[in-house]
């Protein structure tokens, strides 16, 4: 994949999600416009994904002035809005879940916000049942916006929540309804930096090793949590330690790159999840060399947002540098795969 327009048209496009820069944002080192400017300055576009509730004060209410300013920034920095991440928040009211109609009403202004800001795609959540997405289809059609839930670890394309959506989609057959794959579903290992962080928390080494052993088993996350609990029970482990280690079963999950093939025609956006790199610039827990060719050869031409989640446990690391490494890796892999120059 080269930087020329002709090459870009033949494959997917790269971009950044502001989620990658969570530490820079929370530490108030960068404001909203500062993040956008830095993404552009470091050449980490052209796609730009933002998270509605965390990035925009008062979301989903979007003032005319804010919308105009955002569009001006996109033009000034030659960036393209790629995806707006929205929330389902089905349990917003304590003790009850939203009804389908309440969820539709909750989603609608977020879709209107995406339209006002010029986003072509929306990342939704599986917390809302598929019926909500179907009922929102007329609004999506009005604005020409695609929407789909994120297939995040520990899910995969054949997990029950995903299958429920796939079956609902098959009945309406709309190109506006799809999915947002997250590459954390295709991990072959947990990052060494993540394991080091567990040790910094002084979690017992024998429990860490036991959790890692269970993580590598070819079963779903629910089974792994139960199996881990079963194995640690006779060890009289601290419940807090067990809970802390059980998180690993949800943040990353083992999966094969080929599993995405069956839903690639319905992919509307992609989260290029990553954590860390080795000395050769390869991601240490996710095999991009296998994943990216699947999406390229499958005909995906949308955006892949570089999504660094190492900020959850790594401090003092420049997120912009990490995203730059991720995009350089993606370009090298596709250049090698296609025989083009990187």
């Amino acid at each position: 994949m080269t930087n020329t327009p002709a090459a870009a048209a033949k494959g997917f496009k790269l971009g950044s999600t502001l989620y990658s820069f969570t530490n820079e944002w929370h530490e108030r080192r960068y404001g909203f416009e500062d993040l956008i400017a830095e993404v552009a300055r470091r050449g980490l576009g052209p796609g730009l994904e933002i998270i509605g509730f965390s990035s925009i004060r008062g979301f989903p209410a979007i003032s005319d002035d804010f919308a105009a300013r955002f569009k001006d920034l996109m033009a000034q920095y030659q960036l393209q809005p790629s995806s707006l991440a929205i929330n389902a928040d089905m349990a917003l009211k304590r003790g009850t879940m939203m009804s389908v109609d309440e969820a539709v009403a909750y989603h609608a202004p977020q879709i209107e916000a995406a339209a006002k800001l010029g986003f072509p795609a929306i990342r939704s959540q599986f917390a809302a049942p598929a019926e909500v997405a179907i009922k929102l289809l007329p609004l999506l059609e009005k604005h020409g916006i695609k929407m789909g839930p994120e297939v995040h670890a520990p899910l995969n394309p054949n997990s029950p929540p995903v299958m429920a959506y796939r079956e609902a989609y098959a009945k309406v057959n709309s190109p506006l309804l799809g999915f947002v794959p997250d590459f954390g579903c295709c991990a072959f290992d947990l990052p060494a930096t993540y394991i080091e962080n567990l040790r910094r928390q002084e979690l017992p080494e024998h429990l860490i090793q036991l959790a890692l052993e269970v993580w590598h088993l070819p079963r779903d996350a629910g089974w792994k949590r139960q199996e881990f609990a079963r194995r640690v029970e006779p060890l009289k482990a601290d419940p807090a330690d067990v809970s802390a280690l059980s998180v690993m079963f949800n943040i990353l999950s083992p999966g094969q790159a080929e599993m995405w093939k069956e839903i690639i025609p319905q992919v509307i956006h992609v989260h290029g999840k990553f954590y860390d790199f080795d000395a050769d610039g390869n991601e240490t827990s996710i095999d991009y060399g296998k994943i990216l060719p699947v999406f390229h050869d499958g005909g995906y031409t949308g955006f892949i947002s570089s999504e660094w989640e190492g900020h959850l446990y790594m401090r003092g690391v420049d997120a912009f540098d990490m995203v730059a490494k991720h995009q350089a890796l993606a370009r090298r892999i596709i250049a090698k795969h296609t025989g083009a120059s990187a």
Side-chain angles (χ1 to χ4, degrees):
M1 181 168 51
T2 70
N3 294 321
T4 65
K10 295 179 182 178
F12 56 78
K13 296 161 284 189
L14 297 176
S16 297
T17 170
L18 294 191
Y19 176 70
S20 293
F21 315 113
T22 295
N23 289 344
E24 284 79 359
W25 169 256
H26 284 173
E27 293 167 6
R28 299 178 182 248
R29 287 185 280 136
Y30 289 81
F32 180 69
E33 293 193 13
D34 300 324
L35 287 175
I36 293 173
E38 192 68 1
V39 165
R41 187 182 75 82
R42 299 208 194 187
L44 304 178
L48 184 76
E49 178 180 23
I50 67 174
I51 303 88
F53 281 104
S54 67
S55 297
I56 304 172
R57 187 183 299 276
F59 186 83
I62 303 293
S63 69
D64 292 343
D65 286 345
F66 183 90
R69 177 58 180 160
F70 180 73
K71 292 178 180 178
D72 285 345
L73 288 170
M74 295 298 97
Q76 176 183 349
Y77 294 117
Q78 297 184 311
L79 296 173
Q80 300 175 45
S82 59
S83 173
L84 176 69
I86 70 172
N87 287 10
D89 294 330
M90 295 295 289
L92 192 62
K93 298 178 181 178
R94 181 176 296 180
T96 185
M97 296 291 286
M98 287 186 193
S99 67
V100 168
D101 287 342
E102 287 173 331
V104 170
Y106 188 74
H107 281 68
Q110 299 184 73
I111 294 173
E112 295 287 0
K116 193 167 185 175
L117 293 171
F119 281 94
I122 292 171
R123 184 236 65 184
S124 58
Q125 296 174 318
F126 279 111
E131 187 180 355
V132 173
I134 303 304
K135 287 198 169 188
L136 287 166
L137 185 54
L139 183 59
L140 296 171
E141 291 173 339
K142 173 186 175 183
H143 295 298
I145 295 176
K146 297 180 179 181
M147 185 176 77
E150 179 180 10
V151 185
H152 187 285
L155 300 177
N156 63 60
N158 292 303
S159 297
V162 186
M163 289 304 301
Y165 263 75
R166 292 175 65 180
E167 290 165 5
Y169 285 175
K171 295 176 182 178
V172 295
N173 193 30
S174 172
L176 298 182
L177 296 175
F179 298 100
V180 179
D182 182 291
F183 290 165
C185 301
C186 286
F188 58 83
D189 206 350
L190 287 158
T193 47
Y194 175 76
I195 306 305
E196 290 167 6
N197 182 62
L198 296 178
R199 293 184 176 122
R200 283 197 298 272
Q201 298 176 50
E202 299 185 348
L203 293 168
E205 184 65 27
H206 69 285
L207 294 183
I208 292 175
Q209 294 304 320
L210 182 57
L212 291 174
E213 181 181 335
V214 173
W215 185 90
H216 282 94
L217 296 175
R219 302 293 292 271
D220 65 67
W223 182 91
K224 290 179 182 181
R225 285 192 296 271
Q226 293 178 3
E227 177 65 9
F228 180 55
R230 184 187 69 78
R231 294 190 186 190
V232 300
E233 183 177 6
L235 304 178
K236 307 299 181 184
D238 185 332
D241 292 343
V242 175
S243 178
L245 288 167
S246 294
V247 171
M248 71 171 62
F249 304 128
N250 289 324
I251 63 170
L252 289 167
S253 57
Q256 301 301 314
E258 290 75 17
M259 72 183 187
W260 297 116
K261 289 181 178 180
E262 54 191 282
I263 66 167
I264 281 182
Q266 292 176 295
V267 170
I268 63 165
H269 188 70
V270 173
H271 283 164
K273 178 67 58 62
F274 69 101
Y275 288 83
D276 206 357
F277 301 94
D278 62 21
D280 295 322
N282 296 312
E283 219 289 337
T284 60
S285 56
I286 300 169
D287 192 344
Y288 271 82
K290 292 181 179 178
I291 299 173
L292 293 183
V294 168
F295 280 79
H296 179 277
D297 296 350
Y300 177 65
T301 57
F303 282 101
I304 294 181
S305 288
S306 296
E307 187 181 52
W308 183 55
E309 201 163 63
H311 65 76
L312 293 176
Y313 60 86
M314 295 171 70
R315 296 294 181 268
V317 177
D318 188 313
F320 297 99
D321 285 347
M322 297 300 283
V323 170
K325 290 180 180 179
H326 179 259
Q327 295 190 358
L329 172 63
R331 292 189 175 96
R332 286 199 306 273
I333 289 170
I334 293 305
K336 181 178 179 181
H337 182 65
T338 62
S341 60

